[in-house]
Amino acid sequence: MAANCGVSFGICRLRVTKVDAAGNVVAETGNSYVTDNVVSVSLTPNIETGNTISVKNGCGCSVARFKENDTFNWFEFGFQNATLEPDLLALLLGTPTIVDGADVVGQAFTGALACDEDEPAVALEFWTKHVVGSGQDGTYPWIHWVFPKTVWQLGDNTFGSSEAAQPTVNGFSRTNLQWGAGPYGDGPPDGEDIREGGWWKTDVEHPAAACASADVSPGS
């Protein structure tokens, strides 16, 4: 039976997983984070427009015209959260956290990377509702979006007297040949290659959120 052709609605969970320069999940504690405080994620493909070639004769009439293929480069992201989650921001930006006893209470910003220093990177996943008609689909209630390697920087953030500050970061994707089906056991049901990213409708429930980092084994 064909899957219902519903719409993607909202954004209910977001998960990041720390990966190394080669795209492997980093084997360390606190390498994963799930939030349900995400406000929005914007997704923009970066496309390099193909060259346009036009040949005219001496009378100004067209002899030949041809447009070369456009080239996909990467995806660009904007991520806005409703709350300050220092563990999450530290994973996204690759920065140290500030602790008070056993509690993670803040984040320390860092300067530019050294020329030979690996950029911090995470796999980015989020879940949206799959809505058909006026309700969530009964067969595949969720849409799982995956981008297996992304790099982030702090975005424009505003603090004022009449509004709640919503942390904003911006990022872009990189190819990741090492992600495979991911370490959580909820990858593409047919094992499709998602080295650039992908999405699929699913009945697998999204992960539970917690205001703290978690551990995932690279081989799990």
Side-chain angles (χ1 to χ4, degrees):
M1 182 181 71
N4 286 329
C5 294
V7 301
S8 175
F9 181 82
I11 180 167
C12 299
R13 291 290 189 280
L14 181 139
R15 179 169 69 194
V16 298
T17 308
K18 189 174 182 179
V19 297
D20 62 20
N24 300 294
V25 175
V26 175
E28 65 181 34
T29 60
N31 59 355
S32 175
Y33 196 100
V34 179
T35 181
D36 59 359
N37 294 317
V38 56
V39 174
S40 65
V41 172
S42 64
L43 171 63
T44 305
N46 182 291
I47 304 295
E48 184 176 344
T49 303
N51 293 331
T52 300
I53 301 166
S54 177
V55 179
K56 296 181 180 180
N57 64 16
C59 196
C61 298
S62 177
V63 175
R65 54 271 178 203
F66 184 76
K67 183 183 183 304
E68 296 179 331
N69 290 338
D70 293 343
T71 302
F72 167 77
N73 290 327
W74 49 75
F75 291 107
E76 296 174 352
F77 306 100
F79 167 41
Q80 190 171 54
N81 212 30
T83 62
L84 277 169
E85 299 181 79
D87 276 325
L88 173 61
L89 290 171
L91 275 174
L92 285 167
L93 301 174
T95 59
T97 57
I98 297 172
V99 299
D100 185 352
D103 299 326
V104 179
V105 296
Q107 172 193 16
F109 296 133
T110 57
L113 296 173
C115 290
D116 58 351
E117 190 175 359
D118 292 334
E119 60 195 7
V122 296
L124 174 75
E125 304 171 80
F126 56 89
W127 285 258
T128 62
K129 292 180 180 179
H130 178 214
V131 174
V132 176
S134 61
Q136 205 165 348
D137 185 54
T139 304
Y140 299 110
W142 304 103
I143 304 175
H144 187 175
W145 302 76
V146 181
F147 301 91
K149 188 177 183 183
T150 61
V151 179
W152 297 84
Q153 292 290 342
L154 194 65
D156 294 335
N157 288 261
T158 302
F159 304 89
S161 61
S162 60
E163 59 183 333
Q166 295 183 331
T168 301
V169 291
N170 300 317
F172 61 91
S173 69
R174 290 199 186 280
T175 304
N176 186 354
L177 281 67
Q178 306 305 319
W179 182 255
Y184 300 97
D186 57 3
D190 60 356
E192 179 61 42
D193 183 356
I194 54 169
R195 66 183 63 185
E196 301 292 349
W199 63 269
W200 58 95
K201 301 169 186 178
T202 180
D203 61 354
V204 178
E205 188 71 13
H206 54 59
C211 189
S213 59
D215 306 335
V216 61
S217 169
S220 60

